[in-house]
Short mmCIF file of all heavy atoms in Angstrom, two decimals:
data_model
loop_
_atom_site.label_atom_id
_atom_site.label_comp_id
_atom_site.label_asym_id
_atom_site.label_seq_id
_atom_site.Cartn_x
_atom_site.Cartn_y
_atom_site.Cartn_z
N VAL B 215 80.81 53.61 6.08
CA VAL B 215 82.05 52.83 6.10
C VAL B 215 82.21 52.02 4.81
O VAL B 215 83.32 51.73 4.38
CB VAL B 215 82.09 51.96 7.36
CG1 VAL B 215 81.02 50.88 7.34
CG2 VAL B 215 83.45 51.35 7.60
N PHE B 216 81.09 51.67 4.17
CA PHE B 216 81.15 50.90 2.92
C PHE B 216 81.24 51.81 1.69
O PHE B 216 81.60 51.36 0.64
CB PHE B 216 79.92 49.99 2.78
CG PHE B 216 79.63 49.17 3.99
CD1 PHE B 216 78.38 49.24 4.62
CD2 PHE B 216 80.59 48.29 4.51
CE1 PHE B 216 78.12 48.49 5.75
CE2 PHE B 216 80.31 47.55 5.65
CZ PHE B 216 79.06 47.64 6.29
N THR B 217 80.79 53.01 1.86
CA THR B 217 80.64 53.85 0.66
C THR B 217 81.72 54.95 0.53
O THR B 217 82.00 55.41 -0.59
CB THR B 217 79.28 54.56 0.66
OG1 THR B 217 79.16 55.35 1.85
CG2 THR B 217 78.15 53.56 0.58
N GLU B 218 82.32 55.33 1.66
CA GLU B 218 83.27 56.46 1.57
C GLU B 218 84.64 55.96 1.12
O GLU B 218 85.07 54.84 1.47
CB GLU B 218 83.37 57.18 2.91
CG GLU B 218 82.06 57.85 3.32
CD GLU B 218 81.40 58.67 2.20
OE1 GLU B 218 82.04 59.61 1.68
OE2 GLU B 218 80.29 58.31 1.78
N LYS B 219 85.29 56.81 0.37
CA LYS B 219 86.53 56.45 -0.32
C LYS B 219 87.61 55.85 0.62
O LYS B 219 88.21 54.83 0.34
CB LYS B 219 87.10 57.69 -1.00
CG LYS B 219 87.56 57.43 -2.40
CD LYS B 219 88.01 58.71 -3.06
CE LYS B 219 88.48 58.44 -4.47
NZ LYS B 219 88.81 59.70 -5.18
N ASP B 220 87.76 56.52 1.79
CA ASP B 220 88.89 56.11 2.63
C ASP B 220 88.65 54.81 3.38
O ASP B 220 89.59 54.16 3.83
CB ASP B 220 89.26 57.27 3.60
CG ASP B 220 88.05 57.78 4.35
OD1 ASP B 220 86.92 57.32 3.99
OD2 ASP B 220 88.20 58.59 5.27
N SER B 221 87.41 54.42 3.52
CA SER B 221 87.17 53.17 4.28
C SER B 221 86.62 52.03 3.40
O SER B 221 86.64 50.86 3.82
CB SER B 221 86.17 53.45 5.41
OG SER B 221 84.98 54.00 4.87
N LYS B 222 86.11 52.37 2.25
CA LYS B 222 85.41 51.38 1.40
C LYS B 222 86.22 50.13 1.13
O LYS B 222 85.75 49.03 1.34
CB LYS B 222 85.00 52.08 0.08
CG LYS B 222 84.18 51.20 -0.85
CD LYS B 222 83.73 51.95 -2.09
CE LYS B 222 83.01 51.04 -3.06
NZ LYS B 222 82.60 51.78 -4.28
N ALA B 223 87.41 50.34 0.66
CA ALA B 223 88.22 49.19 0.23
C ALA B 223 88.47 48.19 1.35
O ALA B 223 88.49 46.97 1.13
CB ALA B 223 89.56 49.66 -0.33
N ASP B 224 88.61 48.68 2.55
CA ASP B 224 88.91 47.78 3.68
C ASP B 224 87.69 47.14 4.30
O ASP B 224 87.79 46.22 5.11
CB ASP B 224 89.69 48.52 4.76
CG ASP B 224 91.12 48.82 4.31
OD1 ASP B 224 91.69 47.96 3.57
OD2 ASP B 224 91.65 49.89 4.65
N HIS B 225 86.52 47.65 3.92
CA HIS B 225 85.30 47.11 4.54
C HIS B 225 84.34 46.48 3.58
O HIS B 225 83.25 46.04 3.97
CB HIS B 225 84.58 48.23 5.31
CG HIS B 225 85.33 48.67 6.53
ND1 HIS B 225 86.27 49.68 6.52
CD2 HIS B 225 85.28 48.22 7.81
CE1 HIS B 225 86.78 49.82 7.70
NE2 HIS B 225 86.20 48.94 8.53
N THR B 226 84.70 46.44 2.33
CA THR B 226 83.80 45.85 1.36
C THR B 226 84.51 44.73 0.59
O THR B 226 85.74 44.73 0.48
CB THR B 226 83.29 46.88 0.33
OG1 THR B 226 84.42 47.42 -0.35
CG2 THR B 226 82.51 47.97 0.98
N LEU B 227 83.73 43.82 0.13
CA LEU B 227 84.24 42.72 -0.65
C LEU B 227 83.35 42.57 -1.86
O LEU B 227 82.18 42.32 -1.74
CB LEU B 227 84.19 41.44 0.18
CG LEU B 227 84.48 40.12 -0.51
CD1 LEU B 227 85.96 40.05 -0.92
CD2 LEU B 227 84.12 38.94 0.40
N PHE B 228 83.91 42.81 -3.05
CA PHE B 228 83.10 42.72 -4.26
C PHE B 228 83.24 41.33 -4.85
O PHE B 228 84.33 40.92 -5.25
CB PHE B 228 83.45 43.85 -5.23
CG PHE B 228 82.84 45.16 -4.81
CD1 PHE B 228 83.44 45.94 -3.84
CD2 PHE B 228 81.62 45.56 -5.35
CE1 PHE B 228 82.83 47.13 -3.42
CE2 PHE B 228 81.01 46.74 -4.94
CZ PHE B 228 81.63 47.52 -3.96
N LEU B 229 82.11 40.64 -4.87
CA LEU B 229 82.11 39.23 -5.29
C LEU B 229 82.12 39.12 -6.81
O LEU B 229 81.34 39.83 -7.47
CB LEU B 229 80.87 38.54 -4.75
CG LEU B 229 80.66 38.58 -3.24
CD1 LEU B 229 79.23 38.12 -2.89
CD2 LEU B 229 81.69 37.71 -2.56
N GLU B 230 82.94 38.25 -7.31
CA GLU B 230 82.90 37.92 -8.74
C GLU B 230 83.01 36.43 -8.90
O GLU B 230 83.87 35.80 -8.24
CB GLU B 230 84.04 38.63 -9.49
CG GLU B 230 83.75 40.08 -9.77
CD GLU B 230 84.89 40.72 -10.53
OE1 GLU B 230 85.06 40.36 -11.72
OE2 GLU B 230 85.59 41.55 -9.93
N HIS B 231 82.21 35.90 -9.77
CA HIS B 231 82.15 34.44 -9.98
C HIS B 231 83.55 33.91 -10.37
O HIS B 231 84.19 34.47 -11.25
CB HIS B 231 81.12 34.16 -11.05
CG HIS B 231 80.82 32.69 -11.21
ND1 HIS B 231 80.53 31.88 -10.13
CD2 HIS B 231 80.75 31.92 -12.32
CE1 HIS B 231 80.28 30.67 -10.56
NE2 HIS B 231 80.43 30.64 -11.89
N GLN B 232 83.97 32.84 -9.70
CA GLN B 232 85.25 32.17 -9.98
C GLN B 232 86.49 33.00 -9.66
O GLN B 232 87.57 32.73 -10.16
CB GLN B 232 85.32 31.70 -11.44
CG GLN B 232 84.21 30.78 -11.92
CD GLN B 232 84.13 29.46 -11.14
OE1 GLN B 232 84.95 29.21 -10.25
NE2 GLN B 232 83.14 28.64 -11.40
N VAL B 233 86.28 34.03 -8.85
CA VAL B 233 87.43 34.89 -8.48
C VAL B 233 87.63 34.76 -6.97
O VAL B 233 86.66 34.72 -6.21
CB VAL B 233 87.13 36.36 -8.87
CG1 VAL B 233 88.20 37.32 -8.32
CG2 VAL B 233 87.02 36.48 -10.38
N PRO B 234 88.89 34.69 -6.51
CA PRO B 234 89.14 34.58 -5.07
C PRO B 234 88.67 35.80 -4.28
O PRO B 234 88.62 36.88 -4.84
CB PRO B 234 90.66 34.42 -4.96
CG PRO B 234 91.20 34.43 -6.32
CD PRO B 234 90.13 34.69 -7.31
#
Side-chain angles (χ1 to χ4, degrees):
Chain B
V215 68
F216 310 123
T217 59
E218 295 314 300
K219 226 175 180 175
D220 51 353
S221 57
K222 183 176 175 180
D224 288 326
H225 290 90
T226 60
L227 171 68
F228 282 81
L229 303 168
E230 280 181 68
H231 190 49
Q232 303 299 358
V233 172

